[in-house]
């Protein structure tokens, strides 16, 4: 089968729900190693290719998001509806998750008295920053999980969400700026080329910094370039959807090259970063049949992602010395239950308000 990516956008029948679900489980699995012993050095993927499965899962989220969000923005061409839809997908579920962390997990596990905990400013810094996201995430609540191997961090998974929300804003900014540039240049500039140069430049800086550290505060700056570049790789794939061919004649050689490159971690790093987007889109669109039946169950990936960490920390607090396998099993069961409730009682209901922008918001 040789079809362009554009051919698959005509239908919403794809494997993205399953891909994101596996990625979310991968984050939970990866964190099971890190949280149970205080670091992720023993994780199999980390030992094999010097890259945790959680790292790979986040990359999957950002590339997929960049593609799907670009589709939403450029097809509808309605900025107000676009922003409202993004708000509905991120914030209602997140708000309940943060409330869960503060007033259930935190209040139960804090070493402070309940009065001290509820009157401590840090409690509300955690609540506000993790609800707003634009000011980054806040990891700790007063007196919570301070004696655990990964001490003091109540929900470490939330660190990527500010990047996600800011990526949406950057996409809007670039779309407006590029449109203005095209008008100003009277068509002399190539729109597709500009959208391609954004992630190429970002990824070049990220890969170069990996080998020759030069960015200030290198780790955090590197994460900026990594995540935004991945998001805009997804966007570029949408822009080039008519030219990006999904074919097993391309997929299997890429997959073989990727697997073969794992013999050297530095080689794998480069090959992975320039091929992972193709692997994601091939798996998301090509396999059919019974695998598509997963879509009827709902989209639990977001719930798994935002609830897994506090559930895992709670399991460790309840069962000191719990091993990686036990932690993974117990926390998956608990997280899956909460994610089921989150999807059906919060996220799915919120999404019904897409296209129904509050009057004042739409007017403004």
């Amino acid at each position: 089968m040789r079809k362009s990516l554009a051919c698959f956008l005509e239908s919403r029948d794809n494997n993205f729900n399953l891909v994101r679900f596996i990625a979310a489980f991968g984050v939970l699995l990866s964190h099971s190693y890190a949280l149970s012993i205080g670091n992720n050095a023993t994780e199999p993927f980390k030992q094999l290719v010097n890259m945790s499965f959680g790292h790979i899962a986040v990359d999957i989220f950002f590339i997929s998001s960049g593609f799907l969000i670009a589709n939403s923005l450029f097809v509808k061409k309605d900025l107000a509806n676009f922003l409202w839809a993004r708000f509905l997908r991120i914030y209602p579920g997140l708000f309940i998750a943060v409330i869960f962390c503060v007033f259930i997990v935190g209040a139960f596990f804090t070493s402070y008295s309940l009065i001290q905990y509820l009157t401590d400013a840090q409690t509300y810094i955690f609540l506000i920053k993790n609800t707003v996201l634009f000011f980054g995430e806040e990891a700790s609540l007063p007196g919570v999980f301070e004696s655990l191997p990964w001490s003091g961090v109540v929900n470490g998974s939330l660190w990527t969400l500010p990047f996600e929300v800011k990526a949406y804003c950057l996409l809007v900014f670039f779309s407006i700026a590029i449109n203005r540039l095209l008008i100003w240049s009277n068509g002399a500039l190539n729109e597709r080329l500009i959208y391609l140069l954004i992630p190429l430049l970002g990824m070049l800086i990220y890969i170069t910094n990996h080998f020759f550290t030069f960015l200030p505060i290198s780790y955090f700056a590197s994460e900026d370039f990594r995540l935004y570049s991945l998001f805009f790789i997804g966007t570029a794939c949408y822009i080039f959807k008519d030219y990006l061919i999904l074919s097993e004649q391309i997929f299997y050689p890429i997959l073989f090259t990727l697997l073969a490159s794992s013999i050297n971690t530095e080689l794998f790093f480069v090959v992975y970063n320039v091929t992972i987007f193709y692997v994601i889109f091939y798996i998301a669109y090509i396999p059919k049949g019974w695998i598509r039946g997963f879509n009827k169950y709902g989209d639990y990936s977001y719930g798994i992602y935002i609830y897994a960490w506090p559930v895992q920390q709670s399991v460790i607090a309840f069962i000191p010395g719990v091993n990686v396998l036990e932690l993974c099993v117990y926390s998956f069961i608990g997280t899956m239950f909460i994610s089921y409730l989150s999807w059906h009682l919060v996220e799915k209901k919120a999404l019904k308000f897409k296209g129904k922008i509050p009057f004042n918001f739409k007017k403004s």
Side-chain angles (χ1 to χ4, degrees):
M1 175 185 291
R2 293 178 60 87
K3 287 186 177 181
S4 71
L5 194 54
C7 296
F8 298 96
L9 290 176
E10 298 171 0
S11 170
R12 299 188 66 178
D13 184 28
N14 55 59
N15 300 315
F16 271 115
N17 277 355
L18 180 58
V19 169
R20 288 191 297 252
F21 181 90
I22 293 172
F25 175 76
V27 172
L28 184 152
L29 175 63
S30 181
H31 288 167
S32 293
Y33 285 89
L35 297 179
S36 61
I37 63 176
N39 64 75
N40 65 352
T42 61
E43 185 194 327
F45 266 81
K46 184 74 172 178
Q47 292 181 326
L48 178 64
V49 295
N50 196 33
M51 191 181 294
S52 72
F53 196 79
H55 178 116
I56 296 171
V58 168
D59 291 354
I60 292 171
F61 283 131
F62 271 77
I63 292 172
S64 303
S65 181
F67 177 76
L68 297 171
I69 298 306
N71 182 47
S72 175
L73 177 62
F74 295 133
V75 168
K76 296 178 181 177
K77 298 180 180 180
D78 185 330
L79 183 57
N81 268 302
F82 170 79
L83 295 174
W84 178 238
R86 293 307 97 220
F87 174 86
L88 291 174
R89 188 65 190 99
I90 295 290
Y91 282 96
L94 174 65
F95 179 69
I96 300 301
V98 173
I99 292 294
F100 172 79
C101 288
V102 173
F103 295 107
I104 297 180
V105 174
F108 184 85
F109 286 104
T110 183
S111 59
Y112 289 26
S113 71
L114 188 58
I115 296 298
Q116 288 177 317
Y117 173 78
L118 292 176
T119 56
D120 194 299
Q122 179 61 26
T123 301
Y124 301 97
I125 291 173
F126 181 99
L127 178 66
I128 294 170
K129 284 187 70 174
N130 290 329
T131 300
V132 174
L133 293 179
F134 279 96
F135 306 106
E137 54 90 26
E138 183 63 35
S140 64
L141 284 167
V144 181
F145 299 145
E146 292 179 340
S147 62
L148 301 189
W150 201 291
S151 63
V153 179
V154 178
N155 199 337
S157 295
L158 299 184
W159 75 273
T160 65
L161 294 186
F163 286 96
E164 178 87 6
V165 172
K166 291 174 185 176
Y168 299 162
C169 297
L170 281 173
L171 177 58
V172 171
F173 169 79
F174 281 127
S175 67
I176 294 173
I178 291 171
N179 185 58
R180 295 290 185 272
L181 280 174
L182 294 174
I183 295 173
W184 173 77
S185 68
N186 290 320
L189 295 176
N190 187 304
E191 180 184 17
R192 288 194 177 96
L193 181 60
I194 297 173
Y195 276 108
L196 182 61
L197 286 176
I198 294 169
L200 284 182
L201 179 60
M203 187 54 66
L204 178 62
I205 293 173
Y206 170 62
I207 292 176
T208 303
N209 184 72
H210 176 81
F211 293 101
F212 310 100
T213 303
F214 64 90
L215 292 174
I217 321 178
S218 185
Y219 173 78
F220 297 102
S222 177
E223 290 301 282
D224 280 326
F225 280 101
R226 169 196 161 205
L227 296 179
Y228 293 135
S229 296
L230 292 168
F231 182 90
F232 281 98
I233 284 174
T235 299
C237 287
Y238 175 79
I239 298 297
F240 284 86
K241 60 186 180 297
D242 293 314
Y243 305 94
L244 183 55
I245 303 299
L246 297 183
S247 164
E248 63 180 22
Q249 285 78 23
I250 301 174
F251 172 74
Y252 287 110
I254 284 177
L255 185 62
F256 175 79
T257 304
L258 185 59
L259 294 175
S261 69
S262 64
I263 62 173
N264 180 279
T265 57
E266 302 296 12
L267 178 61
F268 178 84
F269 177 82
V270 175
V271 174
Y272 165 85
N273 279 294
V274 299
T275 61
I276 186 61
F277 75 93
Y278 194 91
V279 175
I280 292 170
F281 290 122
Y282 185 91
I283 295 173
Y285 284 112
I286 298 302
K288 294 183 178 180
W290 63 268
I291 198 172
R292 295 289 171 91
F294 187 85
N295 288 327
K296 67 183 180 182
Y297 297 110
D299 184 0
Y300 304 119
S301 57
Y302 185 51
I304 293 172
Y305 187 78
I306 60 178
Y307 283 102
W309 185 294
V311 171
Q312 288 174 291
Q313 290 283 64
S314 299
V315 171
I316 295 169
F318 273 123
I319 313 174
V322 63
N323 64 44
V324 173
L325 179 59
E326 291 171 335
L327 176 60
C328 188
V329 172
Y330 298 153
S331 58
F332 178 73
I333 293 171
T335 302
M336 194 64 227
F337 174 72
I338 298 173
S339 301
Y340 178 88
L341 296 179
S342 177
W343 170 250
H344 288 283
L345 299 182
V346 182
E347 300 166 56
K348 187 177 179 180
K349 290 184 181 298
L351 292 175
K352 291 181 179 179
F353 290 94
K354 277 187 176 182
K356 301 175 183 179
I357 305 176
F359 176 77
N360 289 336
F361 179 79
K362 189 171 183 179
K363 184 179 180 179
S364 63

